[in-house]
Amino acid sequence: MAKALITWGGWDGHQPDVVAALFAGWLREAGMQVQVTDSLACFDDLDALADLSLIVPIWTMAEITKPQAENAAAAVASGVGLAGCHGGMCDAFRANVTWQFMTGAQWVAHPGNDGVEYRVRIVSNHDVVVGLPDFDVCSEQYYLHVDPAVKVHAVCDFPVVAGPHSPNGPVEMPVVYTKMWGQGRVYYNALGHQANVIDHGPAAEAMRRGLLWAAR
């Protein structure tokens, strides 16, 4: 049976425990064995990580040790999948560049904060989004610094809320992307400020598909 590890913690405002339960339910419905932990000690054992099919981090503004980050990166490079959303994956460990290199982006701003209304547009026919319609979101709109190697599957448009970024003109910002890290598949979805943003509709389906696509 394929094994998934979900590890959650960090800033409580992102409801990491609720999101972890949501993702665990989807993975179990797909027939996976799921371990859920609220500790980063799960990254201490490289052999255990390398035996997984999927790692799902749900941490925001936390700190990871250099050995833990290197173990996670080595496991993914060996073929273990990595999938996550919002700050739980791409604002997890701001001080660790190995993590940022592997995950493919780092959050830097959300102009207007929570409650911004914007449209997510599907821009590929990749398995994680094929057949899904464009859809509207009322949430934080993530401005990311993004690895140019990622394959983008959904975008949103900046600026919606005016700010110092506005004079640069229109920008298509990745919302859903995939990339490779060695032999491992990496999936990221910028939605998910709270669970109710990604627990229904096209946002939920894109996230569910992404988790399963990443898993080996």
Side-chain angles (χ1 to χ4, degrees):
M1 180 180 290
K3 294 185 288 186
L5 169 68
I6 299 175
T7 176
W8 66 269
W11 186 56
D12 287 339
H14 279 165
Q15 300 179 327
D17 53 338
V18 180
V19 175
L22 176 67
F23 291 175
W26 289 341
L27 294 174
R28 288 176 178 134
E29 287 174 2
M32 297 185 71
Q33 178 183 327
V34 182
Q35 174 191 353
V36 180
T37 178
D38 62 355
S39 170
L40 290 174
C42 59
F43 290 140
D44 291 337
D45 186 341
L46 176 55
D47 290 339
L49 292 174
D51 190 46
L52 297 168
S53 296
L54 179 67
I55 297 169
V56 183
I58 310 174
W59 287 80
T60 306
M61 296 183 292
E63 294 185 5
I64 193 170
T65 68
K66 183 177 180 180
Q68 287 173 333
E70 290 176 346
N71 283 345
V76 176
S78 75
V80 180
L82 180 71
C85 71
H86 203 63
M89 187 162 114
C90 284
D91 191 28
F93 312 115
R94 293 179 186 177
N96 192 279
V97 293
T98 297
W99 186 267
Q100 293 167 19
F101 192 12
M102 173 174 64
T103 57
Q106 173 60 42
W107 169 87
V108 293
H110 41 59
N113 300 313
D114 196 11
V116 175
E117 296 182 359
Y118 62 98
R119 170 147 285 214
V120 174
R121 295 186 287 109
I122 306 301
V123 294
S124 88
N125 61 358
H126 190 278
D127 289 347
V128 298
V129 295
V130 65
L132 296 181
D134 298 347
F135 59 97
D136 295 320
V137 176
C138 182
S139 184
E140 290 181 341
Q141 186 184 22
Y142 261 22
Y143 203 103
L144 302 165
H145 284 177
V146 183
D147 181 347
V150 305
K151 307 301 182 185
V152 180
H153 309 300
V155 300
C156 64
D157 296 311
F158 279 88
V160 174
V161 176
H165 60 298
S166 301
N168 296 304
V171 174
E172 284 190 348
M173 183 61 59
V175 174
V176 174
Y177 67 72
T178 56
K179 65 173 286 188
M180 299 299 295
W181 182 259
Q183 297 301 309
R185 292 179 170 189
V186 178
Y187 170 90
Y188 177 68
N189 189 322
L191 303 177
H193 176 60
Q194 294 192 331
N196 62 6
V197 179
I198 51 171
D199 67 358
H200 65 283
E205 181 61 13
M207 190 69 232
R208 187 191 67 82
R209 291 186 194 178
L211 292 166
L212 298 179
W213 174 86
R216 67 172 172 184

